Structures are given as C-alpha cells and as structure tokens.
Amino acid sequence: MVAKEAIPLLTPHRIGRFELSHRVVLAPLTRCRSYANVPQPHAAAYYSQRATKGGLLIAEATGVSATAQGYPETPGIWTQQQVDAWKPIVDAVHRKGALFFCQIWHVGRVSTNDFQPDGQAPISSTDKQITPDAESGMVYSKPRQLQTDEIPLIVDDFRRAARNAVEAGFDGVEIHGAHGYLLEQFMKDSSNDRTDEYGGSLENRCRFAVEVIDAIVHEIGADRVGIRLSPFVDYMDCFDSDPHALGMYMVQQLNKHQGFVYCHMVEPRMAIVDGRRQIPHGLLPFRKAFNGTFIAAGGYDREEGNKVVADGYADLVAYGRIFLANPDLPKRFELDSPLNKYDRNTFYTQDPVVPPFGSYLIGGGGFSCYNFYEHVVDERMCILDAGYNHIF
Ligand SMILES: Cc1cc2nc3c(=O)[nH]c(=O)nc-3n(C[C@H](O)[C@H](O)[C@H](O)COP(=O)(O)O)c2cc1C
C-alpha cells in the first residue's frame, strides 16, 4: 500500500482559540440577496453548504450602519431585525461544525445618493468623487468629506456592529479594510486629502482604521477580531504611493493586540508570465511581520494553495470564485477532483432562483433549481466520478 501524502491545505491549524481541521477558507463574497439589507433564510443553505467541520467561513461584507451601503440588497448588522435574521444562518453553519466570521464594512464613497438615507451624499475621507467608469457607465456620487468630530461616530458604528455580530452568534468579525472602501479611503494617499489628524502622514491616514480596530478589540476581545487589507490593490481609485510601508504599519498596529486572530491580505494584481496568470506572492514581508494567523487570497487554486501553505507563506488560503461554484471545495481538494467553472452572470443576481439548465434535470430528481445550490447537480456528478459516494 502506498502511504497517502498529506495535503498541506488539509492539515489542521490553530487560529487563536479555535482549532481548524483544514486551511481552505471561504472568502467574503457579496451576493446582493439580502432584501432591504436583511439577511434571508436562503443564506442558511448557501453558507451551510460551504461549511465543514473545522472549516472557516467569512460572511459577505455586511454594513455597519444606514450610510454604509453602496450595492443593492447587501446585508447589514446595525438593527435588531438584521441581528435576528443572521441568527439561524449562523446556527446552520455552526451545526456543520464550522467557524463563522462576519465581515463588517462601510463603503464610504463607493455609493450613490440613492443608497443613502434621505438621498444625502455618501461620506468619505475626501470630497473627491471616484472617476466615472466609461466602460460600465457606473457613476458614484460625489461624496462629502467627514468632519473631524464625526469620525468617532463612525468608529462607534463599527464597534456596535461587532457587538451585534457576537450577539448574532458569529465567532468573530473581519474588519473590511480592503478594496477601496471607507477604511482604505482614509489609509491610502490617493484618496485622503485631509489636513486634520486623519490626513497627511502615514500614521494620520491610518488613524481611523486603528481607532476602529482598537474599539472593536476593546468591545469583543482581540481573540474575536481579524482584518482584511489590500495595500497593493488599486480598486475604486484607491492606491498608495508606498503600499509596502502602509501594509507594514498596519501589521505593527495589529501586533499591539495580543491574540489578534488573523490578518487576511489580498495579493497584488495578477501578472501574465509566459502566457499564464501568475500570483505575485507579494505578501511575504507582511506574513513574516505579523504575529497571528496569516490568510492569503486572490487567484489561488489547489496547487498554489498547497504550495504557499507548504512554504510557510500563508497559514490559510481564502478562496472566492471557485468556492462559490464548488460548495464542497475542501472535499474536492482532498480527492483532487475536477472543479465546476464559476458563472460570472450569477455572482450578483438578486434572485436566488435561476432557471435550471437542461443537464441539471438529468438524474437530478428532487433537486431544487435554486441558484444558491450553485451547480449542485453538476457537482454531484463530479463527486460520483471521483468515486466519492456521499451526496449532501
Ligand atoms: C461575487 C464576488 C463578491 C465579492 N465580495 C466581496 C466582499 O464582500 N468582501 C471582500 O472583501 N471581497 C469580496 N470579493 C473578493 C473575494 O473575496 C476574493 O478576494 C476575490 O474573489 C479573489 O479571490 P479568488 O481568486 O479566489 O476569487 C468578492 C468577489 C466576488 C467574485
């Protein structure tokens, strides 16, 4: 008998006070199906399908307040109704034995007046508008620069959202400090033109994010807090002239909190090398500097994920699009079975019900055609092909 080789992604890892059985993390994925900002029962099926015993799931970006929204039908966690709606979803994930962190966010200027209470201007670090996108025709509204004395109120919204997440049953929160949203609008020098103590120097630009981190750690304990950062990403006109210094400064701030659970970083934009998309693997200095669990994300597949775990480049790897299309991703990695292709057309569709594809009906008796089952029959076929005999 040939001894089975250990698959690096499927080895256990201790994350703070939690014990993970594998390192395949569900990345936060906005799905735009939380009507009127209230999470819906179908999310319990969606998340629990991706939950495994000892796995870690990160919920989609979830608004901290009424001004935090910028996309249709995204969930919130600032009202009691929203907290109560999250509870059965979190329970469903816990019943499968997985950990569940809630990503909490504020979009800042990535919004329009239509999303804002009373049609007001979106708030930001700046009153500079995001350059309208000629290709998509998307125009974000001109934001209003927050006054210095308003900033503690937003910090408090984050603090309350974290408390609410714990009340909803989440194991912790991931602060959304990435992708050009409010925290990054302050952090990066392309979008921070302030002259008060929240602008100018690196320390000043990071002050708002650091205050949010400190407030949340104080509220729910460092052992329930992680953060997502993307110093190299230039999404939504948010870029920095020295992303390396920015990332290092933020990691140093996280290290001040003993037991801060994780730092989740998004890779720089992928490059094409020899005709193949390559992950830049630009996060090593931050991984080395950070004291807690380090999660890498952005373009990973099975091979690259195993490689970075084996090399000690990351403790965990977060998967977005392929986890969306393959709810049983850890099992597929174990079997090295083929993956379903993701379907961009359904990433953000508000209706979780899509017409069934022809092939879905063949042998698919009893299956619902709900989109939140994302390729479920297809998936069953692949699993059976791989000799794995369990179906949900
Ligand atoms: C449909 C979709 C929704 C996303 N929503 C979020 C989100 O809510 N929060 C976030 O930080 N990133 C979000 N992302 C980015 C993903 O978390 C991830 O970083 C990205 O897809 C790259 O990883 P991948 O190559 O494994 O897909 C989203 C990506 C997609 C495709």
PDB file of all heavy atoms in Angstrom, residues 83-101:
ATOM      1  N   VAL A  83     -29.865  41.493  13.124  1.00  0.00           N
ATOM      2  CA  VAL A  83     -29.175  40.574  14.046  1.00  0.00           C
ATOM      3  C   VAL A  83     -29.987  39.287  14.164  1.00  0.00           C
ATOM      4  O   VAL A  83     -29.444  38.171  14.047  1.00  0.00           O
ATOM      5  CB  VAL A  83     -28.989  41.235  15.435  1.00  0.00           C
ATOM      6  CG1 VAL A  83     -28.441  40.243  16.441  1.00  0.00           C
ATOM      7  CG2 VAL A  83     -28.070  42.446  15.328  1.00  0.00           C
ATOM      8  N   ASP A  84     -31.290  39.426  14.345  1.00  0.00           N
ATOM      9  CA  ASP A  84     -32.146  38.238  14.494  1.00  0.00           C
ATOM     10  C   ASP A  84     -32.167  37.403  13.218  1.00  0.00           C
ATOM     11  O   ASP A  84     -32.261  36.178  13.276  1.00  0.00           O
ATOM     12  CB  ASP A  84     -33.574  38.651  14.881  1.00  0.00           C
ATOM     13  CG  ASP A  84     -33.626  39.216  16.295  1.00  0.00           C
ATOM     14  OD1 ASP A  84     -32.680  38.956  17.075  1.00  0.00           O
ATOM     15  OD2 ASP A  84     -34.594  39.935  16.622  1.00  0.00           O
ATOM     16  N   ALA A  85     -32.095  38.082  12.073  1.00  0.00           N
ATOM     17  CA  ALA A  85     -32.110  37.347  10.799  1.00  0.00           C
ATOM     18  C   ALA A  85     -30.809  36.576  10.586  1.00  0.00           C
ATOM     19  O   ALA A  85     -30.794  35.531   9.938  1.00  0.00           O
ATOM     20  CB  ALA A  85     -32.351  38.317   9.642  1.00  0.00           C
ATOM     21  N   TRP A  86     -29.703  37.088  11.126  1.00  0.00           N
ATOM     22  CA  TRP A  86     -28.430  36.372  10.991  1.00  0.00           C
ATOM     23  C   TRP A  86     -28.409  35.092  11.846  1.00  0.00           C
ATOM     24  O   TRP A  86     -27.722  34.121  11.502  1.00  0.00           O
ATOM     25  CB  TRP A  86     -27.253  37.261  11.413  1.00  0.00           C
ATOM     26  CG  TRP A  86     -26.686  38.120  10.310  1.00  0.00           C
ATOM     27  CD1 TRP A  86     -26.703  39.482  10.239  1.00  0.00           C
ATOM     28  CD2 TRP A  86     -26.000  37.679   9.126  1.00  0.00           C
ATOM     29  NE1 TRP A  86     -26.073  39.911   9.094  1.00  0.00           N
ATOM     30  CE2 TRP A  86     -25.634  38.821   8.389  1.00  0.00           C
ATOM     31  CE3 TRP A  86     -25.670  36.420   8.612  1.00  0.00           C
ATOM     32  CZ2 TRP A  86     -24.948  38.749   7.173  1.00  0.00           C
ATOM     33  CZ3 TRP A  86     -24.980  36.338   7.394  1.00  0.00           C
ATOM     34  CH2 TRP A  86     -24.638  37.498   6.697  1.00  0.00           C
ATOM     35  N   LYS A  87     -29.141  35.108  12.970  1.00  0.00           N
ATOM     36  CA  LYS A  87     -29.000  34.003  13.939  1.00  0.00           C
ATOM     37  C   LYS A  87     -29.197  32.610  13.328  1.00  0.00           C
ATOM     38  O   LYS A  87     -28.334  31.743  13.499  1.00  0.00           O
ATOM     39  CB  LYS A  87     -29.941  34.220  15.135  1.00  0.00           C
ATOM     40  CG  LYS A  87     -29.427  35.305  16.083  1.00  0.00           C
ATOM     41  CD  LYS A  87     -30.375  35.545  17.249  1.00  0.00           C
ATOM     42  CE  LYS A  87     -29.839  36.690  18.110  1.00  0.00           C
ATOM     43  NZ  LYS A  87     -30.804  37.165  19.104  1.00  0.00           N
ATOM     44  N   PRO A  88     -30.313  32.349  12.609  1.00  0.00           N
ATOM     45  CA  PRO A  88     -30.472  30.999  12.052  1.00  0.00           C
ATOM     46  C   PRO A  88     -29.420  30.650  11.004  1.00  0.00           C
ATOM     47  O   PRO A  88     -29.087  29.471  10.811  1.00  0.00           O
ATOM     48  CB  PRO A  88     -31.878  31.021  11.423  1.00  0.00           C
ATOM     49  CG  PRO A  88     -32.283  32.450  11.358  1.00  0.00           C
ATOM     50  CD  PRO A  88     -31.488  33.214  12.351  1.00  0.00           C
ATOM     51  N   ILE A  89     -28.872  31.673  10.355  1.00  0.00           N
ATOM     52  CA  ILE A  89     -27.837  31.428   9.330  1.00  0.00           C
ATOM     53  C   ILE A  89     -26.549  30.986  10.041  1.00  0.00           C
ATOM     54  O   ILE A  89     -25.905  30.002   9.654  1.00  0.00           O
ATOM     55  CB  ILE A  89     -27.612  32.709   8.488  1.00  0.00           C
ATOM     56  CG1 ILE A  89     -28.918  33.127   7.815  1.00  0.00           C
ATOM     57  CG2 ILE A  89     -26.496  32.513   7.479  1.00  0.00           C
ATOM     58  CD1 ILE A  89     -28.932  34.536   7.241  1.00  0.00           C
ATOM     59  N   VAL A  90     -26.218  31.702  11.098  1.00  0.00           N
ATOM     60  CA  VAL A  90     -25.017  31.344  11.873  1.00  0.00           C
ATOM     61  C   VAL A  90     -25.203  29.958  12.503  1.00  0.00           C
ATOM     62  O   VAL A  90     -24.291  29.123  12.472  1.00  0.00           O
ATOM     63  CB  VAL A  90     -24.739  32.411  12.959  1.00  0.00           C
ATOM     64  CG1 VAL A  90     -23.520  32.032  13.785  1.00  0.00           C
ATOM     65  CG2 VAL A  90     -24.541  33.786  12.335  1.00  0.00           C
ATOM     66  N   ASP A  91     -26.402  29.692  13.022  1.00  0.00           N
ATOM     67  CA  ASP A  91     -26.688  28.379  13.618  1.00  0.00           C
ATOM     68  C   ASP A  91     -26.473  27.259  12.604  1.00  0.00           C
ATOM     69  O   ASP A  91     -25.922  26.209  12.929  1.00  0.00           O
ATOM     70  CB  ASP A  91     -28.156  28.298  14.080  1.00  0.00           C
ATOM     71  CG  ASP A  91     -28.336  28.962  15.426  1.00  0.00           C
ATOM     72  OD1 ASP A  91     -27.311  29.318  16.050  1.00  0.00           O
ATOM     73  OD2 ASP A  91     -29.494  29.150  15.830  1.00  0.00           O
ATOM     74  N   ALA A  92     -26.949  27.491  11.382  1.00  0.00           N
ATOM     75  CA  ALA A  92     -26.835  26.453  10.348  1.00  0.00           C
ATOM     76  C   ALA A  92     -25.366  26.128  10.070  1.00  0.00           C
ATOM     77  O   ALA A  92     -24.995  24.970   9.882  1.00  0.00           O
ATOM     78  CB  ALA A  92     -27.533  26.911   9.071  1.00  0.00           C
ATOM     79  N   VAL A  93     -24.533  27.164  10.079  1.00  0.00           N
ATOM     80  CA  VAL A  93     -23.095  26.962   9.846  1.00  0.00           C
ATOM     81  C   VAL A  93     -22.474  26.235  11.042  1.00  0.00           C
ATOM     82  O   VAL A  93     -21.688  25.287  10.877  1.00  0.00           O
ATOM     83  CB  VAL A  93     -22.402  28.322   9.595  1.00  0.00           C
ATOM     84  CG1 VAL A  93     -20.891  28.193   9.629  1.00  0.00           C
ATOM     85  CG2 VAL A  93     -22.865  28.897   8.261  1.00  0.00           C
ATOM     86  N   HIS A  94     -22.864  26.644  12.235  1.00  0.00           N
ATOM     87  CA  HIS A  94     -22.311  26.005  13.438  1.00  0.00           C
ATOM     88  C   HIS A  94     -22.729  24.543  13.546  1.00  0.00           C
ATOM     89  O   HIS A  94     -21.954  23.711  14.015  1.00  0.00           O
ATOM     90  CB  HIS A  94     -22.740  26.778  14.684  1.00  0.00           C
ATOM     91  CG  HIS A  94     -21.933  28.024  14.888  1.00  0.00           C
ATOM     92  ND1 HIS A  94     -22.346  29.075  15.660  1.00  0.00           N
ATOM     93  CD2 HIS A  94     -20.713  28.377  14.405  1.00  0.00           C
ATOM     94  CE1 HIS A  94     -21.417  30.029  15.650  1.00  0.00           C
ATOM     95  NE2 HIS A  94     -20.433  29.625  14.886  1.00  0.00           N
ATOM     96  N   ARG A  95     -23.926  24.240  13.092  1.00  0.00           N
ATOM     97  CA  ARG A  95     -24.361  22.838  13.149  1.00  0.00           C
ATOM     98  C   ARG A  95     -23.464  21.939  12.311  1.00  0.00           C
ATOM     99  O   ARG A  95     -23.319  20.762  12.582  1.00  0.00           O
ATOM    100  CB  ARG A  95     -25.828  22.699  12.700  1.00  0.00           C
ATOM    101  CG  ARG A  95     -26.822  22.989  13.829  1.00  0.00           C
ATOM    102  CD  ARG A  95     -28.206  22.410  13.508  1.00  0.00           C
ATOM    103  NE  ARG A  95     -28.769  23.009  12.314  1.00  0.00           N
ATOM    104  CZ  ARG A  95     -29.431  24.180  12.289  1.00  0.00           C
ATOM    105  NH1 ARG A  95     -29.628  24.846  13.412  1.00  0.00           N
ATOM    106  NH2 ARG A  95     -29.901  24.660  11.160  1.00  0.00           N
ATOM    107  N   LYS A  96     -22.844  22.521  11.287  1.00  0.00           N
ATOM    108  CA  LYS A  96     -21.901  21.751  10.457  1.00  0.00           C
ATOM    109  C   LYS A  96     -20.500  21.725  11.087  1.00  0.00           C
ATOM    110  O   LYS A  96     -19.579  21.137  10.535  1.00  0.00           O
ATOM    111  CB  LYS A  96     -21.808  22.352   9.052  1.00  0.00           C
ATOM    112  CG  LYS A  96     -23.037  22.175   8.197  1.00  0.00           C
ATOM    113  CD  LYS A  96     -23.043  20.780   7.609  1.00  0.00           C
ATOM    114  CE  LYS A  96     -23.658  20.655   6.239  1.00  0.00           C
ATOM    115  NZ  LYS A  96     -22.975  21.256   5.141  1.00  0.00           N
ATOM    116  N   GLY A  97     -20.337  22.452  12.173  1.00  0.00           N
ATOM    117  CA  GLY A  97     -19.044  22.413  12.877  1.00  0.00           C
ATOM    118  C   GLY A  97     -18.017  23.411  12.367  1.00  0.00           C
ATOM    119  O   GLY A  97     -16.822  23.280  12.650  1.00  0.00           O
ATOM    120  N   ALA A  98     -18.452  24.410  11.592  1.00  0.00           N
ATOM    121  CA  ALA A  98     -17.503  25.403  11.065  1.00  0.00           C
ATOM    122  C   ALA A  98     -17.498  26.671  11.924  1.00  0.00           C
ATOM    123  O   ALA A  98     -18.430  26.930  12.671  1.00  0.00           O
ATOM    124  CB  ALA A  98     -17.873  25.766   9.627  1.00  0.00           C
ATOM    125  N   LEU A  99     -16.420  27.424  11.788  1.00  0.00           N
ATOM    126  CA  LEU A  99     -16.330  28.752  12.406  1.00  0.00           C
ATOM    127  C   LEU A  99     -16.873  29.758  11.408  1.00  0.00           C
ATOM    128  O   LEU A  99     -16.694  29.596  10.199  1.00  0.00           O
ATOM    129  CB  LEU A  99     -14.877  29.128  12.646  1.00  0.00           C
ATOM    130  CG  LEU A  99     -14.133  28.435  13.768  1.00  0.00           C
ATOM    131  CD1 LEU A  99     -12.691  28.910  13.755  1.00  0.00           C
ATOM    132  CD2 LEU A  99     -14.794  28.761  15.088  1.00  0.00           C
ATOM    133  N   PHE A 100     -17.456  30.839  11.932  1.00  0.00           N
ATOM    134  CA  PHE A 100     -18.079  31.807  11.033  1.00  0.00           C
ATOM    135  C   PHE A 100     -17.736  33.215  11.512  1.00  0.00           C
ATOM    136  O   PHE A 100     -18.114  33.614  12.622  1.00  0.00           O
ATOM    137  CB  PHE A 100     -19.599  31.579  11.060  1.00  0.00           C
ATOM    138  CG  PHE A 100     -20.354  32.098   9.864  1.00  0.00           C
ATOM    139  CD1 PHE A 100     -19.717  32.550   8.718  1.00  0.00           C
ATOM    140  CD2 PHE A 100     -21.749  32.105   9.882  1.00  0.00           C
ATOM    141  CE1 PHE A 100     -20.438  33.006   7.622  1.00  0.00           C
ATOM    142  CE2 PHE A 100     -22.486  32.563   8.793  1.00  0.00           C
ATOM    143  CZ  PHE A 100     -21.832  33.011   7.667  1.00  0.00           C
ATOM    144  N   PHE A 101     -16.995  33.954  10.705  1.00  0.00           N
ATOM    145  CA  PHE A 101     -16.681  35.353  10.993  1.00  0.00           C
ATOM    146  C   PHE A 101     -17.523  36.238  10.078  1.00  0.00           C
ATOM    147  O   PHE A 101     -17.770  35.890   8.924  1.00  0.00           O
ATOM    148  CB  PHE A 101     -15.184  35.635  10.764  1.00  0.00           C
ATOM    149  CG  PHE A 101     -14.325  35.371  11.972  1.00  0.00           C
ATOM    150  CD1 PHE A 101     -14.366  34.142  12.628  1.00  0.00           C
ATOM    151  CD2 PHE A 101     -13.472  36.351  12.469  1.00  0.00           C
ATOM    152  CE1 PHE A 101     -13.577  33.900  13.755  1.00  0.00           C
ATOM    153  CE2 PHE A 101     -12.680  36.125  13.580  1.00  0.00           C
ATOM    154  CZ  PHE A 101     -12.730  34.895  14.227  1.00  0.00           C
TER     155      PHE A 101
END
